[in-house]
Amino acid sequence: DSGVTQTPKHLITATGQRVTLRCSPRSGDLSVYWYQQSLDQGLQFLIQYYNGEERAKGNILERFSAQQFPDLHSELNLSSLELGDSALYFCASSPRPSSHEQYFGPGTRLTVT
Amino acid sequence: AQSVTQPDIHITVSEGASLELRCNYSYGATPYLFWYVQSPGQGLQLLLKYFSGDTLVQGIKGFEAEFKRSQSSFNLRKPSVHWSDAAEYFCAVRAGGTSYGKLTFGQGTILTVHP
């Protein structure tokens, strides 16, 4: 158990819908990262937050957005969902952006039908 | 931009045999390198990491990896594989000396262990 929690574990929704994935980092970690794992793209970095502020952006679609709240939990919002958005979404955390190690949560499996 | 290549998509070994999973990276400066393991339906667990110093690093579950700058490689090894090692293994690189921590992953190597 890494100490990073993600909810829900599974999510099934229809095309065009909007969903919110939630992540709670390890106690004391200030930085949160979101990754997407899909069969065709592999594991890809989406976005990073540190202490409530966006720190780095990767291959994140405009239909996707994220935020980190004052209690340090983070939410990833996915809207206008398409079949291709079906994937495993991981959250990871680290004490600071410069920290070398990232600890991953169990992931949320999103299925878009 | 950094990149990672894992040349072997799928490797099959017998239980008790030795294992080497290959990883090649591309990055201009000194990289920070990692190996993660993902069991079916599970998240990613950090096996080991290299930042600097001794190029042979030890990790959990009896794994080790060797950083070879001249070959841009960071291969994962285990002398004797157990059935419970069957999983998918990911090599990752992080840009060193930056203030942000994006990890770039390889495509993964699926390990099957035969009894």
Side-chain angles (χ1 to χ4, degrees):
Chain A
D1 185 355
S2 66
V4 178
T5 61
Q6 290 187 247
T7 56
K9 190 163 185 169
H10 300 279
L11 200 48
I12 301 174
T13 190
T15 54
Q17 295 298 305
R18 172 190 170 94
V19 297
T20 297
L21 313 183
R22 182 188 169 102
C23 167
S24 293
R26 293 187 320 156
S27 177
D29 284 358
L30 302 180
S31 200
V32 169
Y33 312 77
W34 286 97
Y35 292 85
Q36 179 195 58
Q37 184 179 33
S38 63
L39 284 175
D40 52 346
Q41 299 290 326
L43 260 165
Q44 291 205 53
F45 167 74
L46 294 179
I47 197 164
Q48 176 192 5
Y49 278 83
Y50 170 64
N51 210 16
E53 294 191 5
E54 182 183 306
R55 199 62 185 260
K57 226 169 185 175
N59 299 323
I60 187 165
L61 300 171
E62 285 191 12
R63 300 183 284 108
F64 296 0
S65 65
Q67 57 184 136
Q68 186 179 27
F69 294 85
D71 67 351
L72 300 177
H73 91 270
S74 178
E75 292 180 358
L76 180 67
N77 301 296
L78 316 175
S79 62
S80 302
L81 285 167
E82 302 174 359
L83 295 178
D85 298 327
S86 296
L88 195 51
Y89 291 85
F90 286 111
C91 169
S93 74
S94 67
R96 298 168 304 283
S98 58
S99 302
H100 300 327
E101 300 168 32
Q102 295 178 23
Y103 297 89
F104 282 76
T108 293
R109 181 165 296 281
L110 172 66
T111 302
V112 182
T113 62
Chain B
Q2 61 256 38
S3 66
V4 177
T5 301
Q6 293 180 244
D8 305 305
I9 297 173
H10 196 169
I11 282 186
T12 300
V13 299
S14 297
E15 192 169 16
S18 63
L19 172 70
E20 182 169 32
L21 302 183
R22 296 183 292 163
C23 171
N24 293 98
Y25 69 90
S26 173
Y27 181 64
T30 299
Y32 296 153
L33 295 160
F34 307 84
W35 275 98
Y36 284 86
V37 61
Q38 183 180 24
S39 298
Q42 302 296 314
L44 294 160
Q45 182 182 23
L46 180 64
L47 282 177
L48 46 77
K49 56 191 181 288
Y50 172 78
F51 303 144
S52 63
D54 193 348
T55 57
L56 184 63
V57 294
Q58 303 297 321
I60 62 171
K61 304 185 179 188
F63 285 93
E64 67 178 25
E66 186 170 12
F67 171 61
K68 293 185 177 179
R69 185 187 300 275
S70 61
Q71 298 176 22
S72 298
S73 70
F74 188 56
N75 294 347
L76 181 71
R77 301 194 293 248
K78 186 169 185 178
S80 178
V81 170
H82 187 262
W83 64 266
S84 61
D85 293 325
E88 189 162 14
Y89 292 79
F90 292 92
C91 181
V93 64
R94 175 187 175 281
T98 58
S99 61
Y100 57 91
K102 164 191 170 183
L103 288 174
T104 299
F105 287 89
Q107 285 297 100
T109 297
I110 297 171
L111 174 65
T112 298
V113 181
H114 281 167

